Amino acid sequence: MTAPASTPVPRAPWAAARCAQFAVVAAVAVELTRAVHVGPRARQVLPAGSWVTTLYLWGTVLTTAVFLVWFARCRRTAVLLSPGVVRGSAAWGVLAWLIPVVGLWAPRPLVQDVLRASAPGAGDAAPARSDTLVDVWWGAWVAHALFTVVCNGYGAPGSPALTVAADVLYGAAAVLAVAVIQRITARQAAGIAAGAVAPAPAGPPQPS
């Protein structure tokens, strides 16, 4: 008979984290380029074929994709570190970010779960309080999204003050996102180094 296969030890997704952080910073740079190139009023009427608009749209898509790759890997590692702490399925961990309106509230508790589960022994601990960094980041991101909707024609189209406010919130959310990525990845690295990965349940012995 052969012994059951041992659980592979995961690695903290530092490469994905660095890519996600770079993508977030690059997205802010693209947004600033767009702001300088067209000004706060012209952004609402910028032609669809403009190179700035194309760069902005592609930047947004690529940043979202890279961030979700990082988050999916962190979620998978968090499940190994603290089984039963992260709620929902792996598919929901991605889809929650992409569904309109739902994406304004559903991802936040998922990030909180992953952050909490990344700490050694989280599965045996009492329910943790909401992480302040995640809350502030998410608040800035939602506020940016709401300001952007208003700036795009709901209530005060073309308002320079609201557009600048949306840009400031976008920059703040980006800085906080970089910090959140760093915190979760570093916590997972510490958990893995401490040997906190839960062993896989033993199955029936396999014939040799």
Side-chain angles (χ1 to χ4, degrees):
M1 294 187 181
T2 59
S6 60
T7 304
V9 178
R11 293 186 296 175
W14 279 117
R18 294 295 181 245
C19 289
Q21 289 172 322
F22 176 81
V24 168
V25 173
V28 173
V30 169
E31 174 61 17
L32 291 176
T33 300
R34 189 169 72 123
V36 171
H37 184 75
V38 302
R41 284 191 179 276
R43 245 181 290 180
Q44 283 73 41
V45 293
L46 194 63
S50 166
W51 70 269
V52 179
T53 299
T54 301
L55 183 63
Y56 173 76
L57 293 176
W58 275 107
T60 300
V61 171
L62 291 175
T63 300
T64 302
V66 172
F67 179 87
L68 289 179
V69 167
W70 165 80
F71 185 73
R73 292 183 180 179
C74 281
R75 186 193 179 281
R76 183 173 57 196
T77 301
V79 170
L80 293 174
L81 288 169
S82 303
V85 175
V86 181
R87 292 166 286 185
S89 64
W92 177 244
V94 173
L95 291 176
W97 299 83
L98 304 176
I99 302 175
V101 182
V102 173
L104 293 176
W105 57 268
R108 176 187 159 275
L110 299 179
V111 176
Q112 294 281 12
D113 284 352
V114 169
L115 178 60
R116 180 186 165 216
S118 298
D124 301 325
R129 293 182 178 181
S130 182
D131 184 80
T132 302
L133 175 61
V134 174
D135 287 341
V136 175
W137 163 56
W138 197 252
W141 173 251
V142 171
H144 155 72
L146 295 178
F147 269 70
T148 300
V149 170
V150 172
C151 291
N152 285 338
Y154 296 93
S159 168
L162 288 178
T163 302
V164 170
D167 287 341
V168 171
L169 288 167
Y170 185 67
V175 171
L176 293 166
V178 170
V180 168
I181 293 169
Q182 183 71 20
R183 176 173 292 186
I184 292 177
T185 309
R187 187 171 292 187
Q188 292 196 343
I192 293 169
V197 178
Q206 301 297 322
S208 55

PDB file of all heavy atoms in Angstrom, residues 9-33:
ATOM      1  N   VAL A   9       2.487  22.294  -0.304  1.00  0.00           N
ATOM      2  CA  VAL A   9       2.619  23.538   0.435  1.00  0.00           C
ATOM      3  C   VAL A   9       2.514  24.706  -0.541  1.00  0.00           C
ATOM      4  O   VAL A   9       3.304  24.800  -1.483  1.00  0.00           O
ATOM      5  CB  VAL A   9       3.967  23.584   1.181  1.00  0.00           C
ATOM      6  CG1 VAL A   9       4.131  24.908   1.909  1.00  0.00           C
ATOM      7  CG2 VAL A   9       4.057  22.418   2.158  1.00  0.00           C
ATOM      8  N   PRO A  10       1.541  25.586  -0.344  1.00  0.00           N
ATOM      9  CA  PRO A  10       1.395  26.705  -1.282  1.00  0.00           C
ATOM     10  C   PRO A  10       2.468  27.751  -1.040  1.00  0.00           C
ATOM     11  O   PRO A  10       3.145  27.763  -0.017  1.00  0.00           O
ATOM     12  CB  PRO A  10       0.007  27.259  -0.937  1.00  0.00           C
ATOM     13  CG  PRO A  10      -0.162  26.930   0.515  1.00  0.00           C
ATOM     14  CD  PRO A  10       0.544  25.614   0.724  1.00  0.00           C
ATOM     15  N   ARG A  11       2.597  28.653  -1.995  1.00  0.00           N
ATOM     16  CA  ARG A  11       3.505  29.775  -1.851  1.00  0.00           C
ATOM     17  C   ARG A  11       2.698  31.063  -1.888  1.00  0.00           C
ATOM     18  O   ARG A  11       1.685  31.159  -2.583  1.00  0.00           O
ATOM     19  CB  ARG A  11       4.541  29.780  -2.977  1.00  0.00           C
ATOM     20  CG  ARG A  11       5.513  28.620  -2.932  1.00  0.00           C
ATOM     21  CD  ARG A  11       6.588  28.779  -3.979  1.00  0.00           C
ATOM     22  NE  ARG A  11       6.041  28.749  -5.331  1.00  0.00           N
ATOM     23  CZ  ARG A  11       6.758  28.959  -6.435  1.00  0.00           C
ATOM     24  NH1 ARG A  11       8.055  29.211  -6.327  1.00  0.00           N
ATOM     25  NH2 ARG A  11       6.201  28.906  -7.612  1.00  0.00           N
ATOM     26  N   ALA A  12       3.131  32.040  -1.119  1.00  0.00           N
ATOM     27  CA  ALA A  12       2.448  33.328  -1.148  1.00  0.00           C
ATOM     28  C   ALA A  12       2.551  33.898  -2.565  1.00  0.00           C
ATOM     29  O   ALA A  12       3.626  33.869  -3.171  1.00  0.00           O
ATOM     30  CB  ALA A  12       3.076  34.287  -0.139  1.00  0.00           C
ATOM     31  N   PRO A  13       1.454  34.399  -3.119  1.00  0.00           N
ATOM     32  CA  PRO A  13       1.463  34.851  -4.528  1.00  0.00           C
ATOM     33  C   PRO A  13       2.122  36.221  -4.702  1.00  0.00           C
ATOM     34  O   PRO A  13       1.487  37.192  -5.123  1.00  0.00           O
ATOM     35  CB  PRO A  13      -0.030  34.892  -4.867  1.00  0.00           C
ATOM     36  CG  PRO A  13      -0.699  35.207  -3.572  1.00  0.00           C
ATOM     37  CD  PRO A  13       0.122  34.508  -2.517  1.00  0.00           C
ATOM     38  N   TRP A  14       3.418  36.287  -4.386  1.00  0.00           N
ATOM     39  CA  TRP A  14       4.106  37.572  -4.476  1.00  0.00           C
ATOM     40  C   TRP A  14       4.196  38.084  -5.906  1.00  0.00           C
ATOM     41  O   TRP A  14       4.081  39.301  -6.148  1.00  0.00           O
ATOM     42  CB  TRP A  14       5.500  37.467  -3.873  1.00  0.00           C
ATOM     43  CG  TRP A  14       5.524  37.562  -2.382  1.00  0.00           C
ATOM     44  CD1 TRP A  14       5.922  36.603  -1.492  1.00  0.00           C
ATOM     45  CD2 TRP A  14       5.127  38.681  -1.575  1.00  0.00           C
ATOM     46  NE1 TRP A  14       5.802  37.055  -0.191  1.00  0.00           N
ATOM     47  CE2 TRP A  14       5.313  38.333  -0.214  1.00  0.00           C
ATOM     48  CE3 TRP A  14       4.624  39.946  -1.877  1.00  0.00           C
ATOM     49  CZ2 TRP A  14       5.022  39.198   0.834  1.00  0.00           C
ATOM     50  CZ3 TRP A  14       4.330  40.820  -0.837  1.00  0.00           C
ATOM     51  CH2 TRP A  14       4.530  40.440   0.500  1.00  0.00           C
ATOM     52  N   ALA A  15       4.423  37.203  -6.870  1.00  0.00           N
ATOM     53  CA  ALA A  15       4.517  37.649  -8.261  1.00  0.00           C
ATOM     54  C   ALA A  15       3.191  38.261  -8.716  1.00  0.00           C
ATOM     55  O   ALA A  15       3.168  39.339  -9.324  1.00  0.00           O
ATOM     56  CB  ALA A  15       4.907  36.480  -9.163  1.00  0.00           C
ATOM     57  N   ALA A  16       2.089  37.572  -8.405  1.00  0.00           N
ATOM     58  CA  ALA A  16       0.775  38.111  -8.764  1.00  0.00           C
ATOM     59  C   ALA A  16       0.496  39.403  -8.014  1.00  0.00           C
ATOM     60  O   ALA A  16      -0.120  40.329  -8.556  1.00  0.00           O
ATOM     61  CB  ALA A  16      -0.311  37.073  -8.460  1.00  0.00           C
ATOM     62  N   ALA A  17       0.951  39.479  -6.767  1.00  0.00           N
ATOM     63  CA  ALA A  17       0.747  40.696  -5.973  1.00  0.00           C
ATOM     64  C   ALA A  17       1.468  41.880  -6.590  1.00  0.00           C
ATOM     65  O   ALA A  17       0.914  42.980  -6.712  1.00  0.00           O
ATOM     66  CB  ALA A  17       1.221  40.472  -4.541  1.00  0.00           C
ATOM     67  N   ARG A  18       2.728  41.673  -6.978  1.00  0.00           N
ATOM     68  CA  ARG A  18       3.488  42.767  -7.583  1.00  0.00           C
ATOM     69  C   ARG A  18       2.877  43.194  -8.924  1.00  0.00           C
ATOM     70  O   ARG A  18       2.825  44.398  -9.241  1.00  0.00           O
ATOM     71  CB  ARG A  18       4.941  42.340  -7.787  1.00  0.00           C
ATOM     72  CG  ARG A  18       5.699  42.104  -6.492  1.00  0.00           C
ATOM     73  CD  ARG A  18       5.854  43.394  -5.699  1.00  0.00           C
ATOM     74  NE  ARG A  18       6.588  43.198  -4.468  1.00  0.00           N
ATOM     75  CZ  ARG A  18       6.072  43.350  -3.261  1.00  0.00           C
ATOM     76  NH1 ARG A  18       4.807  43.731  -3.132  1.00  0.00           N
ATOM     77  NH2 ARG A  18       6.798  43.152  -2.177  1.00  0.00           N
ATOM     78  N   CYS A  19       2.406  42.230  -9.684  1.00  0.00           N
ATOM     79  CA  CYS A  19       1.744  42.566 -10.955  1.00  0.00           C
ATOM     80  C   CYS A  19       0.473  43.372 -10.701  1.00  0.00           C
ATOM     81  O   CYS A  19       0.184  44.349 -11.409  1.00  0.00           O
ATOM     82  CB  CYS A  19       1.421  41.299 -11.741  1.00  0.00           C
ATOM     83  SG  CYS A  19       2.859  40.462 -12.437  1.00  0.00           S
ATOM     84  N   ALA A  20      -0.303  42.974  -9.692  1.00  0.00           N
ATOM     85  CA  ALA A  20      -1.531  43.691  -9.373  1.00  0.00           C
ATOM     86  C   ALA A  20      -1.230  45.102  -8.887  1.00  0.00           C
ATOM     87  O   ALA A  20      -1.906  46.067  -9.275  1.00  0.00           O
ATOM     88  CB  ALA A  20      -2.326  42.920  -8.320  1.00  0.00           C
ATOM     89  N   GLN A  21      -0.224  45.241  -8.044  1.00  0.00           N
ATOM     90  CA  GLN A  21       0.144  46.569  -7.558  1.00  0.00           C
ATOM     91  C   GLN A  21       0.610  47.467  -8.703  1.00  0.00           C
ATOM     92  O   GLN A  21       0.237  48.644  -8.779  1.00  0.00           O
ATOM     93  CB  GLN A  21       1.232  46.449  -6.492  1.00  0.00           C
ATOM     94  CG  GLN A  21       0.729  45.856  -5.184  1.00  0.00           C
ATOM     95  CD  GLN A  21       1.852  45.574  -4.201  1.00  0.00           C
ATOM     96  OE1 GLN A  21       2.936  45.147  -4.590  1.00  0.00           O
ATOM     97  NE2 GLN A  21       1.608  45.826  -2.929  1.00  0.00           N
ATOM     98  N   PHE A  22       1.421  46.908  -9.591  1.00  0.00           N
ATOM     99  CA  PHE A  22       1.880  47.685 -10.744  1.00  0.00           C
ATOM    100  C   PHE A  22       0.706  48.085 -11.630  1.00  0.00           C
ATOM    101  O   PHE A  22       0.635  49.222 -12.115  1.00  0.00           O
ATOM    102  CB  PHE A  22       2.893  46.865 -11.554  1.00  0.00           C
ATOM    103  CG  PHE A  22       3.342  47.546 -12.810  1.00  0.00           C
ATOM    104  CD1 PHE A  22       4.337  48.519 -12.774  1.00  0.00           C
ATOM    105  CD2 PHE A  22       2.766  47.225 -14.033  1.00  0.00           C
ATOM    106  CE1 PHE A  22       4.743  49.163 -13.938  1.00  0.00           C
ATOM    107  CE2 PHE A  22       3.167  47.865 -15.200  1.00  0.00           C
ATOM    108  CZ  PHE A  22       4.153  48.839 -15.156  1.00  0.00           C
ATOM    109  N   ALA A  23      -0.233  47.162 -11.847  1.00  0.00           N
ATOM    110  CA  ALA A  23      -1.381  47.456 -12.695  1.00  0.00           C
ATOM    111  C   ALA A  23      -2.240  48.561 -12.094  1.00  0.00           C
ATOM    112  O   ALA A  23      -2.744  49.438 -12.810  1.00  0.00           O
ATOM    113  CB  ALA A  23      -2.216  46.188 -12.892  1.00  0.00           C
ATOM    114  N   VAL A  24      -2.410  48.545 -10.775  1.00  0.00           N
ATOM    115  CA  VAL A  24      -3.204  49.588 -10.118  1.00  0.00           C
ATOM    116  C   VAL A  24      -2.540  50.949 -10.278  1.00  0.00           C
ATOM    117  O   VAL A  24      -3.196  51.950 -10.608  1.00  0.00           O
ATOM    118  CB  VAL A  24      -3.389  49.244  -8.625  1.00  0.00           C
ATOM    119  CG1 VAL A  24      -3.960  50.441  -7.866  1.00  0.00           C
ATOM    120  CG2 VAL A  24      -4.309  48.043  -8.470  1.00  0.00           C
ATOM    121  N   VAL A  25      -1.228  51.013 -10.060  1.00  0.00           N
ATOM    122  CA  VAL A  25      -0.502  52.277 -10.213  1.00  0.00           C
ATOM    123  C   VAL A  25      -0.556  52.751 -11.669  1.00  0.00           C
ATOM    124  O   VAL A  25      -0.745  53.943 -11.951  1.00  0.00           O
ATOM    125  CB  VAL A  25       0.957  52.116  -9.744  1.00  0.00           C
ATOM    126  CG1 VAL A  25       1.771  53.366 -10.066  1.00  0.00           C
ATOM    127  CG2 VAL A  25       0.995  51.831  -8.247  1.00  0.00           C
ATOM    128  N   ALA A  26      -0.400  51.816 -12.610  1.00  0.00           N
ATOM    129  CA  ALA A  26      -0.462  52.176 -14.023  1.00  0.00           C
ATOM    130  C   ALA A  26      -1.835  52.716 -14.396  1.00  0.00           C
ATOM    131  O   ALA A  26      -1.956  53.659 -15.196  1.00  0.00           O
ATOM    132  CB  ALA A  26      -0.121  50.960 -14.886  1.00  0.00           C
ATOM    133  N   ALA A  27      -2.898  52.136 -13.818  1.00  0.00           N
ATOM    134  CA  ALA A  27      -4.254  52.609 -14.102  1.00  0.00           C
ATOM    135  C   ALA A  27      -4.439  54.045 -13.634  1.00  0.00           C
ATOM    136  O   ALA A  27      -5.095  54.853 -14.308  1.00  0.00           O
ATOM    137  CB  ALA A  27      -5.272  51.688 -13.439  1.00  0.00           C
ATOM    138  N   VAL A  28      -3.865  54.366 -12.482  1.00  0.00           N
ATOM    139  CA  VAL A  28      -3.948  55.747 -11.992  1.00  0.00           C
ATOM    140  C   VAL A  28      -3.195  56.679 -12.935  1.00  0.00           C
ATOM    141  O   VAL A  28      -3.660  57.792 -13.240  1.00  0.00           O
ATOM    142  CB  VAL A  28      -3.381  55.852 -10.565  1.00  0.00           C
ATOM    143  CG1 VAL A  28      -3.311  57.308 -10.119  1.00  0.00           C
ATOM    144  CG2 VAL A  28      -4.238  55.055  -9.604  1.00  0.00           C
ATOM    145  N   ALA A  29      -2.029  56.246 -13.414  1.00  0.00           N
ATOM    146  CA  ALA A  29      -1.252  57.067 -14.342  1.00  0.00           C
ATOM    147  C   ALA A  29      -2.037  57.327 -15.628  1.00  0.00           C
ATOM    148  O   ALA A  29      -2.026  58.445 -16.165  1.00  0.00           O
ATOM    149  CB  ALA A  29       0.075  56.375 -14.664  1.00  0.00           C
ATOM    150  N   VAL A  30      -2.733  56.299 -16.113  1.00  0.00           N
ATOM    151  CA  VAL A  30      -3.541  56.466 -17.320  1.00  0.00           C
ATOM    152  C   VAL A  30      -4.687  57.450 -17.066  1.00  0.00           C
ATOM    153  O   VAL A  30      -4.992  58.310 -17.899  1.00  0.00           O
ATOM    154  CB  VAL A  30      -4.094  55.107 -17.792  1.00  0.00           C
ATOM    155  CG1 VAL A  30      -5.142  55.289 -18.885  1.00  0.00           C
ATOM    156  CG2 VAL A  30      -2.960  54.225 -18.288  1.00  0.00           C
ATOM    157  N   GLU A  31      -5.311  57.338 -15.907  1.00  0.00           N
ATOM    158  CA  GLU A  31      -6.410  58.250 -15.577  1.00  0.00           C
ATOM    159  C   GLU A  31      -5.907  59.688 -15.473  1.00  0.00           C
ATOM    160  O   GLU A  31      -6.570  60.624 -15.937  1.00  0.00           O
ATOM    161  CB  GLU A  31      -7.062  57.814 -14.266  1.00  0.00           C
ATOM    162  CG  GLU A  31      -8.131  58.759 -13.750  1.00  0.00           C
ATOM    163  CD  GLU A  31      -9.308  58.933 -14.697  1.00  0.00           C
ATOM    164  OE1 GLU A  31      -9.487  58.103 -15.605  1.00  0.00           O
ATOM    165  OE2 GLU A  31     -10.049  59.920 -14.526  1.00  0.00           O
ATOM    166  N   LEU A  32      -4.737  59.891 -14.882  1.00  0.00           N
ATOM    167  CA  LEU A  32      -4.170  61.237 -14.797  1.00  0.00           C
ATOM    168  C   LEU A  32      -3.832  61.767 -16.194  1.00  0.00           C
ATOM    169  O   LEU A  32      -4.035  62.957 -16.485  1.00  0.00           O
ATOM    170  CB  LEU A  32      -2.924  61.222 -13.917  1.00  0.00           C
ATOM    171  CG  LEU A  32      -3.152  60.986 -12.428  1.00  0.00           C
ATOM    172  CD1 LEU A  32      -1.822  60.909 -11.685  1.00  0.00           C
ATOM    173  CD2 LEU A  32      -4.039  62.089 -11.832  1.00  0.00           C
ATOM    174  N   THR A  33      -3.342  60.891 -17.055  1.00  0.00           N
ATOM    175  CA  THR A  33      -3.056  61.290 -18.436  1.00  0.00           C
ATOM    176  C   THR A  33      -4.325  61.734 -19.136  1.00  0.00           C
ATOM    177  O   THR A  33      -4.349  62.742 -19.846  1.00  0.00           O
ATOM    178  CB  THR A  33      -2.419  60.117 -19.207  1.00  0.00           C
ATOM    179  OG1 THR A  33      -1.200  59.737 -18.565  1.00  0.00           O
ATOM    180  CG2 THR A  33      -2.138  60.500 -20.649  1.00  0.00           C
TER     181      THR A  33
END
